[in-house]
Amino acid sequence: MRIAFVSLALLLFSTSIAAAESCPAFKASTMVVTGIDPVHWRTDYPRNFPNPRDDQPWESIKFRNEPTKYMQAVLDTARPFFKNTDGRLTGTGSEPWWISEWLDYGTSGREALMGLTKERGPKAGDLSETSTDGAQVWAVGFYNTSGAAVFGEIFAEPCNPSLPVNLKFPDDTASIKFLFTDASTDEVPYLKDAPVYNALIDPLGSSSQSLPVGQRTKRPLRLLQVDIAVKDSRSFETGWVFGTFVWRGPPKGDQLFDNLVPVSLQWGNDPGVYDDQSIKQSWVNADLNGVTFGWAKRPSMGFMGRANGPADNVRSSCLSCHSAARSPRASIGLLGSSFNMEHLDDTQAVKRHVDIWFQNIKSGQLFQPTEPAAATLDYSLQLEAAAFRVCSACEAGDLTGPTPSICRSTGFYNRPKCSSSDTATPVKRLLQSMAPPRQ
Ligand code: HEC
């Protein structure tokens, strides 16, 4: 059944529109919109793992000493494969980059034109000194061959994804994520004259709100940020190196990769560091002081000088949020959003925040171990979101048939079969109020 389906997809595009096509028992994909030709990113995951001894262009560069060179080497592995074609981010069709299944569900589910999911809406002062509340951020993330081979195992049965207890990505895994915003260029000066992309997003001013998918309309967005994540054994702190670029005008070259300026790189969370003078496991680009950080609401990119991007919450850092990847998510969530940034001089409050949120967690180690989980996810928050959405769809009756085993192992939904839609009203209401995943 699956083989037949995969070969059909190969015949057509060698791409699919995610769970919408690969799991026929799923009928509520946010990528299926009347009158829209949906984007086709690859989900025909590689069957074999590449040799971990293969040389990667970033491996000859010491990320601690030459962070920008390292970041550029990673970015260059994506560069030949992504373009802006008529206001849409597109691949070549055979790009060695794959998206995750099962992100095309719910109020933040993939939109049809570029496959973007809705992210946290930045707060006033996040994107620039003058930015106000209300902007939306939408994003699409990909994994390279090594990472996508892991997805191949997880989604071998698309209607019944399976997660190992300790998921581990192999060395050489890289992920890239493009983040777009509808923030006004008057408020965010570095985005002036940036090329426009069009996607089916929520109405102006809706920020992080969860709105019914039917309210989405085609609206302009600009590329804001590009994130990278690399599994690199030289990061003995966490096993990962995370970094981000910002799109900074004036436009030049291809106006996509040529405008990306490195913002920050991080290989550890600096556990036990409670001031912003002693951060050693992040690099932040000082040239962007006054551009992407350096004002009262955003004194640094991430918490106390750690790495983060303009779209991200200043109370957090790349590795902080991602180290909380597990299924199910811990009850305290992905970040301590209640920390009051006006209390940075309250040493006890800072210590409490750092001790919970800024640990160096290794792959296979569980965040919040006092709360059991069915799986650790090795920093992949897409997989966390995918597992949550597949089970939400099952509970709401938008996925029919036998309950996926991960929904039972995570305690999400214990009945043998997914609910039929007539019993699903309360859950549907819950889904409507589901906040976008990146807080
Ligand atoms: C507050 C939490 C949070 C912070 C901070 C954060 N991320 Fe993420 N990130 C997410 C979530 C949630 C997803 C998955 C959902 C999605 O892509 O829509 C994600 C997805 C990604 C992905 C795609 C692969 C994956 O893990 O699923 C990459 C790469 C990534 N982030 C890199 C970064 C980098 C680099 C930074 C810092 C500059 C960063 N992130 C900061 C929450 C966060």
Side-chain angles (χ1 to χ4, degrees):
M1 176 72 178
R2 178 181 162 256
I3 310 267
F5 191 78
V6 167
S7 48
L8 178 68
L10 279 174
L11 204 72
L12 291 173
F13 296 105
S14 81
T15 56
S16 84
I17 54 170
E21 281 176 4
S22 36
C23 170
F26 172 56
K27 302 278 186 247
S29 170
T30 49
M31 294 198 60
V32 178
V33 180
T34 318
I36 301 278
D37 172 26
V39 63
H40 286 259
W41 294 118
R42 296 186 69 176
T43 52
D44 59 331
Y45 304 119
R47 280 166 203 273
N48 300 312
F49 283 87
N51 186 340
R53 280 190 292 270
D54 288 352
D55 283 339
Q56 302 300 328
W58 57 82
E59 282 174 350
S60 56
I61 306 163
K62 295 187 170 136
F63 55 79
R64 293 164 215 264
N65 305 345
E66 295 188 290
T68 60
K69 204 171 159 197
Y70 182 89
M71 293 174 72
Q72 203 59 52
V74 178
L75 192 65
D76 285 346
T77 63
R79 188 185 180 104
F81 304 106
F82 295 96
K83 308 252 170 322
N84 175 347
T85 316
D86 303 327
R88 279 166 88 160
L89 181 76
T90 52
T92 54
S94 56
E95 64 277 0
W97 295 92
W98 289 260
I99 60 163
S100 173
E101 297 269 22
W102 278 109
L103 295 187
D104 52 334
Y105 183 63
T107 54
S108 53
R110 287 195 197 283
E111 56 75 49
L113 283 174
M114 298 211 293
L116 310 178
T117 58
K118 191 174 189 183
E119 307 274 304
R120 158 188 190 258
K123 298 279 178 289
D126 274 357
L127 299 181
S128 74
E129 192 166 3
T130 52
S131 65
T132 56
D133 279 322
Q136 295 167 50
V137 169
W138 291 74
V140 58
F142 303 84
Y143 279 85
N144 71 353
T145 314
S146 302
V150 174
F151 280 68
E153 294 185 336
I154 293 170
F155 297 112
E157 289 176 64
C159 302
N160 182 26
S162 64
L163 291 172
V165 175
N166 287 314
L167 179 93
K168 288 185 181 165
F169 285 98
D171 255 12
D172 296 352
T173 293
S175 174
I176 185 163
K177 179 173 173 185
F178 299 85
L179 294 89
F180 301 84
T181 183
D182 69 347
S184 121
T185 55
D186 293 338
E187 291 185 6
V188 188
Y190 53 84
L191 292 184
K192 274 228 160 59
D193 303 319
V196 164
Y197 294 77
N198 292 294
L200 284 190
I201 62 167
D202 289 337
L204 182 70
S206 70
S207 187
S208 301
Q209 262 176 288
S210 299
L211 297 176
V213 175
Q215 292 193 14
R216 293 182 182 178
T217 50
K218 186 170 166 178
R219 297 194 38 238
L221 291 160
R222 290 181 176 81
L223 181 64
L224 167 69
Q225 175 175 333
V226 175
D227 288 346
I228 54 168
V230 182
K231 189 87 185 263
D232 187 326
S233 56
R234 293 171 300 170
S235 164
F236 56 83
E237 291 88 351
T238 61
W240 285 93
V241 181
F242 273 56
T244 192
F245 300 82
V246 67
W247 195 99
R248 190 179 186 194
K252 55 182 177 194
D254 70 354
Q255 303 192 14
L256 202 168
F257 292 96
D258 288 326
N259 273 92
L260 294 177
V261 177
V263 177
S264 60
L265 189 70
Q266 186 179 31
W267 48 95
N269 266 317
D270 282 288
V273 175
Y274 308 117
D275 65 90
D276 59 2
Q277 299 304 306
S278 320
I279 295 297
K280 301 238 160 26
Q281 300 168 2
S282 283
W283 166 84
V284 176
N285 186 349
D287 293 348
L288 294 173
N289 194 343
V291 181
T292 61
F293 68 97
W295 49 86
K297 287 214 162 85
R298 172 151 239 161
S300 53
M301 285 313 306
F303 193 67
M304 286 285 193
R306 292 170 178 82
N308 230 354
D312 300 307
N313 194 313
V314 64
R315 293 161 191 78
S316 188
S317 78
C318 308
L319 289 171
S320 167
C321 230
H322 280 263
S323 66
R326 41 172 281 168
S327 194
R329 186 183 283 190
S331 52
I332 59 169
L334 294 181
L335 92 113
S337 51
S338 60
F339 183 89
N340 184 340
M341 287 299 287
E342 282 161 18
H343 294 172
L344 280 177
D345 51 3
D346 176 344
T347 42
Q348 280 314 307
V350 168
K351 182 173 185 312
R352 271 196 307 274
H353 188 66
V354 168
D355 289 347
I356 296 174
W357 295 105
F358 298 90
Q359 306 171 42
N360 279 346
I361 291 183
K362 306 266 170 27
S363 103
Q365 193 186 333
L366 183 63
F367 175 68
Q368 293 293 87
T370 51
E371 251 180 274
T376 59
L377 297 178
D378 199 8
Y379 288 77
S380 177
L381 287 170
Q382 288 191 346
L383 280 176
E384 189 197 275
F388 180 74
R389 289 179 198 184
V390 85
C391 298
S392 307
C394 166
E395 191 178 20
D398 289 325
L399 169 67
T400 52
T403 298
S405 40
I406 49 167
C407 309
R408 305 186 94 180
S409 62
T410 56
F412 190 106
Y413 184 80
N414 283 321
R415 288 197 246 155
K417 285 203 180 306
C418 297
S419 305
S420 63
S421 45
D422 54 327
T423 58
T425 331
V427 183
K428 283 208 162 139
R429 236 181 284 129
L430 181 87
L431 279 171
Q432 293 289 316
S433 65
M434 202 165 82
R438 184 165 175 159
Q439 304 299 311

